[in-house]
Amino acid sequence: MFVIVGEALSDMVQAVPGGPFVARPGGGPMNVAVGLRRLGHDTALMSRLSAGPLGAIIMAHIARNNLRMDWCVTTPKGTSQDRGKHRQSKRGLVARLNRLGCRASDSPTRA
């Protein structure tokens, strides 16, 4: 199983100049997780998600793409308000993933 750790956000897209903006799920880590799942890999996302309307759009996208959300957390605040205060050190994150049963290393690996 792949566990992808990182942001899941909404990109605001304007299809026509001067037209309305539409929220589209995005964020590099979430896009990687979706891509791995579409290739047939069991994939989970570990991310902080907003409990508001934009978070609901992201959660629906995650569900449509059959990503595991076991390690996602929701917050009443917008995810952009985090500003890093809840970030864990790399070593702390590796320890948490190992406790959850994932094989994790703090050194890069190659497939």
Side-chain angles (χ1 to χ4, degrees):
M1 175 202 310
F2 287 95
V3 177
I4 308 300
V5 182
E7 66 186 359
L9 50 85
S10 292
D11 293 321
M12 300 306 288
V13 179
Q14 190 178 35
V16 179
F21 283 90
V22 178
R24 299 284 187 226
M30 186 175 69
N31 292 339
V32 168
V34 168
L36 286 168
R37 183 66 192 120
R38 288 179 180 173
L39 290 171
H41 299 286
D42 187 18
T43 309
L45 180 66
M46 181 184 284
S47 187
R48 183 173 181 238
L49 305 172
S50 169
L54 292 176
I57 292 169
I58 293 168
M59 286 185 257
H61 180 70
I62 291 169
R64 271 193 312 277
N65 285 281
N66 298 312
L67 288 175
R68 292 180 54 180
M69 292 179 49
D70 306 353
W71 303 314
C72 288
V73 295
T74 57
T75 176
K77 294 182 178 181
T79 55
S80 63
Q81 295 176 5
D82 179 20
R83 295 199 188 356
K85 68 181 177 183
H86 296 290
R87 292 186 183 157
Q88 297 182 20
S89 70
K90 187 175 184 181
R91 186 168 299 200
L93 178 59
V94 168
R96 181 170 183 212
L97 288 170
N98 285 325
R99 281 194 307 272
L100 293 169
C102 298
R103 286 185 48 203
S105 169
D106 55 359
S107 60
T109 58
R110 295 175 199 245

